[in-house]
Amino acid sequence: MTFGYNEAFDHDSGIEEALASLDAERRKLSRLSEMWKDGETKVRAKDNSLEMTFDGRGELTGISFNEAKYRLLAPTQLAEVIKETLQRGRAQSIEKMTEVMGSTSPGGVDLAGLAGGKADPQDVLEALIGPLLGGLGGTRKSED
């Protein structure tokens, strides 16, 4: 089988685009990796009764209580403050990750799941590499 000029050019162009896209995603993932390693988010409860610290992945790494404030809260109220502050802290951490990765994550990768360790590594790899292989004429198992 022979290729005409346009077919060879389109194939080369597709490879260049795929490699450029892969390089851009690699740079984003490198920045995300740095954030996971060195990042930190601090969130203060709305009533100032406590402050929580989260690492770059959004995992809770510390809680500090305002001695005078939190002791005045009923146990159920304190539990609600902890839960709400935890949710806001994780959301802010994920927001920071989304800023690094851009408005759309590569291949629709679930950043929240990835950050929380709940994403299946095989699914992440497929989401990142699958489009590249498809663009290069790679084979994928067809679903019947």
Side-chain angles (χ1 to χ4, degrees), residues 54 58 85-97:
F54 299 84
T85 307
L86 180 64
Q87 289 170 341
R88 279 192 308 116
R90 285 198 171 150
Q92 285 181 21
S93 295
I94 290 170
E95 200 173 292
K96 287 180 180 181
M97 286 182 257

Side-chain angles (χ1 to χ4, degrees), residues 4-25:
Y5 175 75
N6 287 339
E7 290 176 25
F9 180 74
D10 288 344
H11 182 68
D12 289 344
S13 176
I15 290 172
E16 288 176 19
E17 288 176 24
L19 290 174
S21 177
L22 183 62
D23 188 52
E25 295 307 324

Side-chain angles (χ1 to χ4, degrees), residues 40-99:
E40 182 177 87
T41 301
K42 290 189 180 232
V43 177
R44 184 173 301 277
K46 290 179 181 177
D47 67 357
N48 292 319
S49 59
L50 58 95
E51 181 178 80
M52 293 184 172
T53 304
F54 299 84
D55 66 14
R57 292 180 182 261
E59 292 298 316
L60 181 65
T61 59
I63 301 175
S64 59
F65 291 92
N66 176 331
E67 291 286 329
K69 189 81 169 171
Y70 93 93
R71 292 180 187 269
L72 300 174
L73 301 174
T76 55
Q77 187 179 9
L78 178 58
E80 188 61 32
V81 168
I82 291 171
K83 184 178 86 171
E84 186 274 333
T85 307
L86 180 64
Q87 289 170 341
R88 279 192 308 116
R90 285 198 171 150
Q92 285 181 21
S93 295
I94 290 170
E95 200 173 292
K96 287 180 180 181
M97 286 182 257
T98 302
E99 287 174 14

